[in-house]
Amino acid sequence: MAYGLARRELKPKVPLRPGEGEKDHLTSLEGLAALSLDALSSVAYGPEAIVLALVVAGTGALTATLPVTLAITCLLAALVVSYAQVIAVHPDGGGAYAVAKKDLGGTTASLLAAASLVVDYVLTVAVSLAAGADALASAFPALAHDKLLVCLAGLALLTAVNLRGVTESARVLMLPTVLFIVAIVGVIVVGLFRAHPAAVVGTAQPAPAHEALGLLLILKAFSSGCSALTGVEAIANAVPTFRTPRVRRAQRTEFMLGALLGLMLVGLAVLIRRDQVAPRANVTILAQLTAGAYGDGWAYYATNLMVTLVLLLAANTSFGGLPVLMSLLARDHRLPHLFALRAERPVYRYGVVALALLAAALLIATDANTHRLIPLFAIGVFIGFTISQLGLVRHWATQKPDGWKHRAVINGTGAVLTTLAGLVLLLTKFLAGAWVVVIAVPLMMLLFARIQRYYTEVGKELELGRVPAPPDRCTTSLVIVPLGEVSKLARHAIGAALALGDEVVAVAVQADPDKSRTLREAWDRWDPGVRLDIIDSPHRSLVQPIVNYVQRAAQDGRRIAVLIPEVEPKHRRYEILQNQRGLLLATVLRARTDVVVCMLPYRLRL
């Protein structure tokens, strides 16, 4: 102690890189904005899917909208509780994939879960963007012919935002999420207080009854409406992106999502039943409910624009979940290892780019048609739901913690309901496009299995995990330096080569005898103490003569390195002015020989 000051132990503080530290992870509210927007925004097309399924029995059948929605809400509650348990059991993320791998055992279940989740995430992006374009066209019919362009523009913007990291995108999405929730809750509250709709939009369409309102039709409506449950699993898949305590924050976000989504679904269903809202041309069901609550003035247009924006941004759920899932697959050797690499910011950029490309291809293939995408969309979701809940049933039965029977009943009930909904949707929508998922999921499982087999064979060949034999010791080594003329570049290369190997030889390829003689004379005058071999090439080939030379030199078993000097300009705009023969030579040598190939840069000052 000195001058009344206690001695303190000083610890060096290392500055964090971008993306490190708790500030770059999500709070509960940021998680709700970044990972739940897909589920919340599904109120724009989930209730409409129910109405479209029921209206084939006539407008009178729309009274069944509320009971069907209540059944879906009960399933939602079971799923929310289930995924809260998934979060606690699997805090490293992965959702259905992690559950299947750990609790169901075997390779098939985990591969099926992974394939279904990838399909689900890609379709989430496509459906959200297409539904957003539909909402925009409801407010501005002139844009109906530019839906694909609107979708691709929104996809490009969302990709750029997510390449900066999930946290930045969460902050961007916070305000639109709050405004969207306020707008939808306002539609419900104001609509319930009105005795009749304030305004009617769209063109009336005849709705003759083609079917009777029976059990099969109700099951169709239930399975179609379950598209509103998509995105519930995204929070469980992205637990590592939350701040500590991660499990508690992720569970809190999951329960907030369930409460908000259930409230909005039931409220909209009550309005649809009371006002007998049937499909009309050029507008969505949600647009009709908005007009019924706010009228067709500025509030109607503002709400539709907000719905459009949120639907375009709802694809962010996939950008937050799929790259994390792909990183888990890469660590399990079921995807290329580059998907496990993270940039300085906390984002798996290869996964983000792959998701964007797949979603763009799907939008182009379907011309951004929401009704063509939804049958593909929901099946993958139900597969993931069922696997996740079956895995937890087995987990509780195996571990048997306190209250495990109650938890197993909840998960088992959810598994039965999601299996039933998935089967009904598959059977009723098979010819409408669901067959694509039936083909895509097994193909993706095969791809994962083949990649895993490749990495397994590579591991055996490299004897990973085993102590290797002592390295071979070579008494001599040879460094070959391809050169074109005597210059400062040659001095730079020869000096580096002498520091690398026991013997150095310079090699030049010349097609003109006069130039060969001039080069020999210049070399003798310089006399660097290194042998120069000049190869005649009448056909003016540069690469192949050097490759042949290296192959002959390698026949005596010596360690050989080829040192290729390369000029690098200071400014990138001058790179096109440099020849690329060095890069071409290096590529061919790596493909045809086993020698060490080194690129030696010589950086210019201009």
Side-chain angles (χ1 to χ4, degrees):
M1 296 180 63
Y3 301 104
L5 297 177
R7 181 180 177 182
R8 295 183 302 171
E9 182 180 356
L10 298 179
K11 296 182 179 180
K13 294 183 179 180
V14 179
L16 298 176
R17 297 184 304 167
E20 295 182 335
E22 285 295 299
K23 70 181 182 65
D24 287 299
H25 288 77
L26 301 174
T27 65
S28 295
L29 290 178
E30 289 173 345
L32 188 68
L35 303 172
S36 304
L37 207 50
D38 167 46
L40 294 176
S41 65
S42 64
V43 298
Y45 51 83
E48 183 164 3
I50 298 175
V51 171
L52 290 175
L54 292 175
V55 79
V56 297
T59 55
L62 296 180
T63 55
T65 301
L66 183 57
V68 170
T69 302
L70 290 175
I72 293 172
T73 306
C74 291
L75 177 57
L76 170 64
L79 288 174
V80 168
V81 174
S82 173
Y83 276 105
Q85 296 169 352
V86 171
I87 291 169
V89 176
H90 300 281
D92 292 331
Y97 175 68
V99 173
K101 187 174 66 171
K102 179 180 178 181
D103 298 325
L104 293 181
T107 303
T108 303
S110 60
L111 291 178
L112 176 60
S116 64
L117 283 172
V118 171
V119 170
D120 174 29
Y121 278 129
V122 174
L123 283 165
T124 294
V125 176
V127 170
S128 297
L129 294 173
D134 286 338
L136 186 63
S138 296
F140 304 99
L143 297 177
H145 301 292
D146 298 320
K147 283 176 51 180
L148 179 59
L149 182 61
V150 171
C151 291
L152 294 178
L155 178 61
L157 176 62
L158 198 57
T159 302
V161 170
N162 276 272
L163 286 175
R164 290 186 53 83
V166 175
T167 303
E168 282 81 356
S169 61
R171 291 168 184 152
V172 170
L173 295 173
M174 184 68 70
L175 180 60
T177 302
V178 172
L179 293 177
F180 172 77
I181 294 173
V182 170
I184 299 301
V185 172
V187 168
I188 296 170
V189 173
V190 176
L192 290 176
F193 274 102
R194 290 188 180 276
H196 54 81
V200 177
V201 294
T203 305
Q205 293 179 318
H210 300 291
E211 298 182 24
L213 181 61
L215 178 62
L216 181 59
L217 186 60
I218 292 176
L219 288 176
K220 288 181 181 179
F222 174 79
S223 60
S224 298
C226 281
S227 60
L229 303 181
T230 57
V232 174
E233 76 289 350
I235 297 170
N237 295 340
V239 178
T241 62
F242 282 88
R243 293 184 186 179
T244 53
R246 291 184 173 84
V247 170
R248 188 181 305 170
R249 289 184 185 274
Q251 288 178 330
R252 188 184 304 148
T253 305
E254 188 76 48
F255 286 124
M256 286 192 296
L257 163 64
L260 287 171
L261 181 57
L263 174 65
M264 291 190 291
L265 287 175
V266 173
L268 293 176
V270 170
L271 289 177
I272 292 172
R273 176 177 180 173
R274 190 196 68 178
D275 297 335
Q276 291 290 294
V277 179
R280 298 174 70 89
N282 302 322
V283 292
T284 63
I285 295 294
L286 183 58
Q288 293 186 57
L289 296 175
T290 302
Y294 298 144
D296 55 3
W298 67 269
Y300 169 78
Y301 287 96
T303 302
N304 274 282
L305 287 174
M306 180 53 59
V307 171
T308 300
L309 175 61
V310 169
L311 280 167
L312 291 174
L313 297 177
N316 190 76
T317 300
S318 290
F319 283 98
L322 183 58
V324 175
L325 173 64
M326 296 179 80
S327 72
L328 296 177
L329 288 169
R331 293 172 197 168
D332 292 337
H333 313 299
R334 291 173 173 175
L335 274 181
H337 288 168
L338 60 87
F339 287 105
L341 300 177
R342 294 208 317 178
E344 288 188 352
R345 294 180 180 273
V347 59
Y348 298 98
R349 289 184 174 174
Y350 289 103
V352 170
V353 172
L355 173 58
L357 293 176
L358 290 172
L362 190 59
L363 286 169
I364 294 172
T366 59
D367 197 28
N369 189 315
T370 307
H371 299 295
R372 293 173 62 185
L373 289 168
I374 284 182
L376 314 179
F377 184 35
I379 293 176
V381 177
F382 290 130
I383 294 175
F385 285 166
T386 302
I387 290 175
S388 179
Q389 294 180 94
L390 287 177
L392 277 186
V393 170
R394 183 169 181 179
H395 173 80
W396 302 131
T398 303
Q399 301 296 326
K400 295 185 178 180
D402 293 338
W404 69 272
K405 292 183 179 180
H406 174 70
R407 300 176 184 178
V409 168
I410 293 175
N411 297 138
T413 303
V416 171
L417 293 176
T418 53
T419 301
L420 177 63
L423 289 174
V424 170
L425 183 63
L426 178 62
L427 294 175
T428 57
K429 301 293 185 179
F430 185 82
L431 297 179
W435 60 271
V436 175
V437 178
V438 176
I439 296 175
V441 169
L443 288 178
M444 201 168 297
M445 294 173 62
L446 179 62
L447 174 65
F448 296 155
R450 289 292 181 89
I451 292 175
Q452 186 175 21
R453 185 184 308 169
Y454 167 79
Y455 280 124
T456 301
E457 295 300 323
V458 169
K460 291 180 180 178
E461 185 171 341
L462 297 179
E463 298 182 355
L464 297 179
R466 298 174 55 186
V467 178
D472 297 331
R473 295 186 178 274
C474 187
T475 57
T476 61
S477 60
L478 173 64
V479 181
I480 299 174
V481 183
L483 292 173
E485 56 186 336
V486 176
S487 65
K488 191 175 180 179
L489 178 64
R491 177 178 178 273
H492 180 63
I494 295 298
L498 289 171
L500 293 176
D502 302 312
E503 181 183 352
V504 176
V505 58
V507 178
V509 179
Q510 294 291 345
D512 188 348
D514 293 335
K515 291 184 178 180
S516 298
R517 185 168 51 255
T518 302
L519 176 60
R520 174 65 65 182
E521 292 173 355
W523 189 268
D524 293 340
R525 288 194 303 271
W526 181 33
D527 191 17
V530 171
R531 186 177 84 249
L532 172 65
D533 290 342
I534 300 178
I535 305 174
D536 294 329
S537 179
H539 300 292
R540 299 183 180 275
S541 174
L542 172 66
V543 175
Q544 191 58 45
I546 295 180
V547 173
N548 294 338
Y549 182 92
V550 172
Q551 289 174 336
R552 288 194 302 269
Q555 291 177 356
D556 60 2
R558 286 189 296 177
R559 295 291 186 188
I560 294 179
V562 180
L563 186 65
I564 304 174
E566 185 180 38
V567 174
E568 289 187 2
K570 181 178 180 180
H571 301 289
R572 295 183 63 88
R573 62 179 178 270
Y574 295 137
E575 287 183 359
I576 194 173
L577 302 179
Q578 305 296 327
N579 66 67
Q580 303 298 320
R581 289 179 295 183
L583 181 60
L584 176 61
L585 175 60
T587 302
V588 176
L589 284 172
R590 291 191 180 100
R592 299 184 184 179
T593 69
D594 295 327
V595 302
V596 178
V597 180
C598 306
M599 303 296 293
L600 178 66
Y602 183 88
R603 294 182 173 85
L604 301 174
R605 291 195 296 269
L606 70 154

